[in-house]
Each structure stands twice: as structure tokens, then as C-alpha cells.
């Protein structure tokens, strides 16, 4: 296993082609806007060395036989599926943002098992290739990020019917030594913190669009990959220096997204994991999405713990912690948050073994968990906002707090109950501001809505696995209906 420091060193050796605010960024490791996101992934490495969390953060690999970071583990039991969610909640609690590494965990489990089934059905050698590569991932504790979501252009048109063929990732040339790829993946979480990428289709692919049925791995800084960094609300507060750290709310940790473009990217055959097998594109993305929907029951519950904690703290600072409606709201928030967690745990407990020997989560429960995640955090935010009061969005800056005149007024006027300084209150409110209105994977809301697929995607799966016919039969039997 790598320590966080060793992982950081691997990033210093990488050479990303990255643009941000109209400039090319050469140093992705120390850039103040990127750094909090790197700190979050780095913690995923360091936590594996903390004896307190060893059971959750590490596992023994059936591939290497050695101890590995659980973020690279191929789930081998329902217990592993449950531990995955517990680890994710823990990481959400420790960072209060998207720590980015779980996408890899879910995508690699999907690709490992689907390529096995592909090889069995078609005599291909994708699984053999992936297993060899993945043994290296585990042995070297590589951070692999996943790319699924294509730009999609006109959503009513299929991949190969778009006016611009690059709106979906596709093969433009097959050569003796590999393939040439064009296209893009959007909303790429943690890409410039990663060492390698795993790319797969964003949706099912029809037989006439075989160039779009494509999966592969590639170094994240390969020639032909261009990144454009995603803007998050209040992101430039991170560039204002230590005096403005309070204004960042969660100054140490954060998430990152980017647009990732494939401009004639070359991928050698040994790294190609799907090449035109259209019938397997849907199953691959469905398996990934389902694992990932279970994961949201862990990470978002962990971040939810921090939101609830901040709401409770500000209530205390404001002297209303014992008021009945505040206590009731905290109970309600806790209830909603625990339901998310329950779903993730249950989807794991009801998991089942796949032909590859790894374990899959319960499809219905995982989708219900994620559908809840598209709703409950919004309720939790609403109640946190009510508890916090309007000062949540009207506070002056921390530079004013440090000013000899303005600061004195702020210290007097923003104090709370006796013992609650204005600065502590402001820190807590800024943290809550960052959670409630922070965007991308630094915040709590919109990622809950769209990450791992928008609500309609879950409803389609719930329709598929909900088995309404069986429910009708139950009633017919009980009510004595014969037809
Ligand atoms: C913070 C964050 C982090 C993310 N990280 C990653 C990542 O690391 N890697 C990655 O690959 N993806 C990532 N995603 C992408 C995520 O999976 C997508 O946002 C999600 O799948 C929705 O796709 P979209 O954003 O393109 O929305 P759209 O496809 O534009 O959907 C918008 C709305 O239109 C509806 N819609 C779209 N198409 C149709 C249609 N044909 N018929 C009917 N309705 C339709 C949808 O249901 C939705 O309501 C991330 C997203 C967020 C917000």
C-alpha cells in the first residue's frame, strides 16, 4: 500500500494537459484550487495505515495475496460490500466532500466481472487483460479514475446520429498496435488527481453504433488527453491565502470535476477492454452504476453527518439547541440520513455471487438507495438552512473579521451564547455554507442528484427489478382472484 505522501509523489511525476481560468496549469499538485481535492484522495491512502481503521480501510487481495487498500479491492463477499459502505461513510465524515476514489472501486468491480462474462460468452481476452492490469493496480496502489458520462449533445439522438460524432467517445481508427479514440467525458471527478483512467460507455449501444461500444484503460496524462477544470461556486476564495481560509468553510478538503477530451488518444490493444461488442455496453454501465448507487448510501451519509453536526452546533451557539422544533428537526435529519445508510448496507447484505467469483449488490435496493439520495439531502439542507438563520448567506468576509475596525464590530455583533465567540460561529456558518451551496463534489446537493445517474435512471431500473407482476399475484392469491 502507498502512503499519502508516496501517492502525492506519483502525481508530481505526471504531466497533465490542464486548463483553468483560461490558462494552462503545469503544477496540479500545489495549485490552491486543486489542492483540497488532492488532500481528500490523499487521506484515502493515509487512512489505510491507521490501526483504528485497518479493518475497514484494508483487505487481503485474492489476486496478489497481499494486504491492499480497500479502495482497490474486488469485493469477494456480502461482508465486503457492507464494509465498502462503512468505509465510504467514514471517509465522508473525515472529509465532508467527495474523496473521489470510490468511482474506481465500483467501476473496476464492474469491469472485472463483466469482462469475465464477455470472455466466457465470446472467447475474447478482455478479462485476461484486465486481470493482469488490475493486479498491478492493487500491487502498486494506483489511483484509477473512471470516465463514463459523455457530453451527449442532443439527448434524443443515438450516439452515431449526433451532428458531431465526437459527442460520444468512439474509436476512429483500429491499427495493428491499438486504437485511436476521439470524444470526451464530462464531470470527471478527481481526474487530475488520478494515475490511470478507466473509460466505458455511458449507456447501452445499438448494433449499428459499434465504434461507440468501447472500454479501455489509459494513463491519465497520456498524450491526446486534454482537461478543462470545472468551476465551483466560491472557488477563488481558495486563492485568497490563509487569511481567507475561514471563508472556504472546509479549507482542507474538497472535490474537483473537469471536462476530459480525447483528441486522437492512442490506446494499445493490451489496454482495450471492449471493442465493438455492443450487446455488452449496457450491462457494463448498468453494473457500474448499480455498485455506485449503493456507494452513495455510504459517502452521502458521511457528509450528511457533517451537515447535521454543523446544524446542531450552530443551534447551540445561537442558544436554541433545547427548543423543541430544533430538536425535532435534528431527529428528522438524522432519520433521513440513516435511511440512506440503511439502503447502502441492505443492498450489500442482499448481494450475490457473480460468475467471476466477485459479489454484486442487490439491484433494486441499490437503485432505491440512490433515488433516496436524490431527495433526502435536499430536505436535510432545507432544515439546516432553517436552523442556521439568514446570517448563513449574509456574513462579511474573514478579512473584515481581521480588520481593526470592522472586525471589532463583527466580534461584538456576531457573538452567540456566552462562550460562543463570533469567530467560532462564523467558522461553523461558513462550513455549512460550503456544504449547502458548494457545487461539484465539494458540496452536498447537486452531486446527490446527478452523481451515479439522475433520478430517472434509477426509476428505469426500479421498473425493471421491482417485479410488479409478482406483487399482483400476491393480491390475487389473497383475494381469491383466479385469472
Ligand atoms: C458532482 C458530479 C460529479 C460527477 N462525477 C462523474 C465522474 O467522475 N465520472 C463520470 O463519468 N460522470 C460523473 N458525473 C456525471 C453524472 O453521472 C451525470 O451528471 C448523470 O449521469 C446525468 O447526466 P448529465 O449530467 O449529462 O445530465 P443530462 O443527460 O443532461 O440530464 C439532464 C436531465 O435530462 C434528462 N434526460 C437526459 N436524456 C434523456 C432522454 N434521452 N430521455 C429523457 N430524459 C432525458 C435526465 O433524466 C435529466 O433529468 C458527475 C456528476 C456530478 C454532478
Amino acid at each position: 500500500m502507498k502512503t499519502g505522501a508516496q501517492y502525492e509523489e506519483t502525481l508530481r511525476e505526471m504531466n497533465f494537459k490542464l486548463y483553468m481560468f483560461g490558462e494552462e496549469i503545469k503544477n496540479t499538485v500545489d495549485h490552491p484550487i486543486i489542492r483540497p481535492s488532492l488532500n481528500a484522495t490523499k487521506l484515502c491512502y493515509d487512512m489505510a495505515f491507521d490501526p483504528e481503521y485497518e479493518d475497514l480501510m484494508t483487505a487481503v487481495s485474492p489476486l496478489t495475496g497481499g494486504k491492499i487498500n480497500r479502495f482497490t479491492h474486488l469485493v469477494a463477499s456480502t461482508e465486503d460490500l457492507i464494509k465498502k459502505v462503512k468505509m465510504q461513510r467514514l471517509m465522508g465524515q473525515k472529509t465532508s466532500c467527495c474523496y473521489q476514489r470510490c468511482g474506481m472501486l465500483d467501476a473496476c468491480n464492474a469491469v472485472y466481472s463483466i469482462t469475465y462474462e464477455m470472455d466466457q460468452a465470446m472467447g475474447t481476452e478482455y478479462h485476461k487483460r484486465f486481470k493482469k492490469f488490475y493486479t498491478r493496480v492493487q500491487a502498486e496502489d494506483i489511483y484509477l479514475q473512471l470516465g463514463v458520462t459523455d457530453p451527449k449533445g442532443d439527448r434524443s439522438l443515438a450516439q452515431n446520429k449526433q451532428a458531431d460524432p465526437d459527442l460520444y467517445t468512439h474509436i476512429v481508427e483500429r491499427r495493428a498496435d491499438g486504437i485511436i479514440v476521439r470524444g470526451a467525458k464530462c464531470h470527471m471527478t478527481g481526474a487530475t488527481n488520478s494515475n490511470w483512467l478507466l473509460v466505458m460507455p455511458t449507456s447501452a449501444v445499438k448494433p449499428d453504433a459499434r465504434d461507440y461500444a468501447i472500454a479501455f484503460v489509459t494513463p491519465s496524462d497520456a498524450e491526446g488527453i486534454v482537461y478543462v477544470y470545472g468551476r465551483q461556486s466560491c472557488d477563488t476564495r481558495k486563492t485568497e491565502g490563509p487569511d481567507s481560509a475561514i471563508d472556504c468553510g472546509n479549507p482542507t478538503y474538497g472535490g474537483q470535476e473537469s471536462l476530459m477530451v480525447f483528441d486522437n488518444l492512442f490506446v494499445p490493444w493490451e489496454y482495450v477492454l471492449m471493442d465493438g461488442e455492443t450487446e455488452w455496453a449496457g450491462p457494463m454501465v448498468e453494473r457500474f452504476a448499480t455498485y455506485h448507487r449503493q456507494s452513495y448510501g455510504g459517502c452521502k451519509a458521511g457528509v450528511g453527518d457533517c451537515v447535521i453536526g454543523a446544524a446542531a452546533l450552530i443551534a447551540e451557539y445561537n442558544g436554541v439547541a433545547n427548543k423543541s422544533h430544533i430538536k425535532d428537526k435534528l431527529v428528522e435529519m438524522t432519520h433521513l440520513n440513516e435511511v440512506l445508510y440503511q439502503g447502502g448496507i441492505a443492498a450489500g447484505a442482499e448481494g450475490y455471487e457473480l460468475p467471476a467469483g466477485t459479489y454484486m449488490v442487490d439491484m433494486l435496493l441499490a437503485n432505491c438507495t440512490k433515488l433516496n439520495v436524490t431527495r433526502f439531502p435536499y430536505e436535510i439542507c432545507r432544515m439546516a438552512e432553517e436552523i442556521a438563520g439568514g446570517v448563513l448567506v449574509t456574513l462579511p468576509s474573514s478579512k473584515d473579521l481581521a480588520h481593526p475596525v470592522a472586525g471589532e464590530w463583527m466580534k461584538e455583533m456576531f457573538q452567540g451564547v456566552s462562550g460562543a465567540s463570533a469567530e467560532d460561529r462564523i467558522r461553523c456558518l461558513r462550513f455549512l455554507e460550503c456544504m449547502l451551496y458548494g457545487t461539484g463534489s465539494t458540496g452536498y446537493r447537486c452531486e446527490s442528484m446527478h452523481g451515479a445517474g439522475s433520478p430517472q435512471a434509477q426509476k428505469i431500473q426500479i421498473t425493471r427489478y421491482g417485479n410488479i407482476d409478482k406483487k399482483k399475484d400476491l393480491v390475487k392469491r389473497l383475494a381469491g382472484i383466479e385469472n
Side-chain angles (χ1 to χ4, degrees):
M1 297 189 300
K2 278 196 176 77
T3 62
Q6 288 167 331
Y7 153 69
E8 184 176 327
E9 279 315 301
T10 66
L11 292 180
R12 288 193 188 280
E13 286 160 22
M14 297 189 71
N15 188 22
F16 292 100
K17 182 104 179 141
L18 170 69
Y19 294 92
M20 185 199 297
F21 294 121
E23 284 176 13
E24 195 171 343
I25 306 295
K26 289 293 178 196
N27 181 347
T28 58
V29 174
D30 301 306
H31 192 288
I33 288 186
I34 303 175
R35 185 71 210 194
S37 70
L38 195 155
N39 290 341
T41 49
K42 200 174 161 181
L43 194 67
C44 298
Y45 283 87
D46 281 333
M47 290 273 286
F49 289 88
D50 187 329
E52 192 182 342
Y53 304 117
E54 187 183 9
D55 183 50
L56 276 192
M57 297 299 300
T58 66
V60 173
S61 164
L63 291 187
T64 66
K67 186 173 163 184
I68 54 167
N69 189 307
R70 189 175 289 280
F71 276 106
T72 69
H73 189 43
L74 295 167
V75 287
S77 61
T78 52
E79 193 192 346
D80 271 347
L81 287 168
I82 292 170
K83 280 188 177 173
K84 179 183 82 148
V85 172
K86 291 187 174 182
M87 171 181 75
Q88 289 163 329
R89 184 167 191 176
L90 176 69
M91 290 306 304
Q93 291 170 339
K94 294 284 179 188
T95 61
S96 201
C97 68
C98 169
Y99 41 85
Q100 307 144 55
R101 222 186 163 195
C102 71
M104 138 182 195
L105 178 58
D106 294 330
C108 291
N109 271 283
V111 168
Y112 184 87
S113 54
I114 282 284
T115 53
Y116 180 89
E117 290 163 39
M118 290 170 79
D119 286 5
Q120 295 290 306
M122 297 182 303
T124 49
E125 56 175 45
Y126 297 125
H127 184 70
K128 209 170 108 195
R129 289 177 190 171
F130 188 67
K131 195 170 172 181
K132 185 173 167 214
F133 169 73
Y134 204 65
T135 306
R136 189 181 146 204
V137 169
Q138 290 190 331
E140 297 176 22
D141 210 355
I142 288 170
Y143 172 17
L144 194 71
Q145 190 47 266
L146 83 147
V148 179
T149 312
D150 290 306
K152 296 184 285 195
D154 182 341
R155 271 92 174 131
S156 68
L157 298 177
Q159 295 91 338
N160 58 339
K161 307 288 187 224
Q162 301 284 330
D164 180 342
D166 294 345
L167 289 171
Y168 282 86
T169 302
H170 62 126
I171 300 176
V172 288
E173 192 186 344
R174 289 177 178 81
R175 300 190 337 202
D177 52 352
I179 56 173
I180 305 290
V181 176
R182 290 191 66 77
K185 294 291 175 183
C186 299
H187 325 291
M188 283 296 300
T189 296
T192 72
N193 293 331
S194 71
N195 307 117
W196 280 72
L197 300 163
L198 170 56
V199 176
M200 68 171 79
T202 196
S203 55
V205 179
K206 292 209 169 118
D208 66 348
R210 65 181 293 268
D211 288 344
Y212 293 86
I214 165 184
F216 59 87
V217 288
T218 179
S220 310
D221 61 347
E223 200 182 330
I225 306 184
V226 180
Y227 298 92
V228 189
Y229 208 79
R231 196 130 207 211
Q232 300 188 344
S233 71
C234 308
D235 50 8
T236 47
R237 290 186 191 180
K238 293 177 187 142
T239 64
E240 291 171 11
D243 288 352
S244 290
I246 295 177
D247 289 349
C248 294
N250 182 8
T252 310
Y253 300 112
Q256 65 149 275
E257 274 70 43
S258 58
L259 168 68
M260 176 173 77
V261 180
F262 302 126
D263 184 17
N264 292 328
L265 170 71
F266 170 68
V267 183
W269 284 115
E270 67 175 307
Y271 296 136
V272 176
L273 304 168
M274 180 186 287
D275 168 25
E277 291 83 1
T278 51
E279 68 275 30
W280 290 95
M284 185 181 276
V285 68
E286 179 190 72
R287 193 162 294 174
F288 155 68
T290 311
Y291 275 125
H292 211 37
R293 287 171 193 167
Q294 180 213 17
S295 289
Y296 271 68
C299 65
K300 287 295 167 275
V303 176
D305 286 327
C306 298
V307 174
I308 296 166
L313 204 53
I314 199 66
E316 205 173 289
Y317 292 160
N318 289 353
V320 293
N322 286 328
K323 302 297 171 196
S324 62
H325 81 100
I326 300 287
K327 286 197 285 189
D328 187 58
K329 283 187 183 72
L330 290 172
V331 169
E332 186 83 1
M333 291 159 88
T334 304
H335 162 234
L336 293 171
N337 201 43
E338 296 304 325
V339 171
L340 303 182
Y341 184 55
Q342 285 171 8
I345 295 288
E350 290 288 289
Y352 57 94
E353 191 174 1
L354 292 166
T358 51
Y359 270 66
M360 182 59 195
V361 295
D362 183 274
M363 307 290 272
L364 184 59
L365 294 180
N367 278 285
C368 290
T369 302
K370 176 66 209 336
L371 191 59
N372 283 341
V373 172
T374 69
R375 298 172 177 180
F376 296 177
Y378 288 78
E379 269 301 284
I380 292 172
C381 287
R382 187 181 63 73
M383 288 184 269
E385 212 168 76
E386 184 182 341
I387 292 171
V391 69
L392 182 63
V393 292
T394 63
L395 273 177
S397 78
S398 56
K399 283 193 176 139
D400 290 315
L401 186 64
H403 187 271
V405 178
E408 286 312 303
W409 288 117
M410 284 174 71
K411 282 173 196 152
E412 182 183 349
M413 302 306 169
F414 289 127
Q415 64 186 313
V417 291
S418 150
S421 70
E423 182 174 326
D424 286 348
R425 256 187 101 224
I426 290 170
R427 280 182 185 273
C428 184
L429 288 160
R430 285 291 181 211
F431 176 85
L432 208 44
E433 180 199 25
C434 176
M435 292 298 103
L436 305 193
Y437 314 121
T439 51
S441 54
T442 296
Y444 176 53
R445 286 205 276 197
C446 198
E447 195 194 5
S448 295
M449 179 63 75
H450 289 294
S454 317
Q456 196 56 27
Q458 285 106 66
K459 287 192 180 176
I460 290 168
Q461 296 296 73
I462 292 170
T463 306
R464 191 172 292 165
Y465 295 104
N467 207 343
I468 294 290
D469 284 341
K470 186 178 167 196
K471 294 175 174 60
K472 288 194 287 192
D473 287 344
L474 293 174
V475 175
K476 283 183 182 174
R477 191 176 59 81
L478 290 166
I481 301 168
E482 288 188 1
N483 297 316

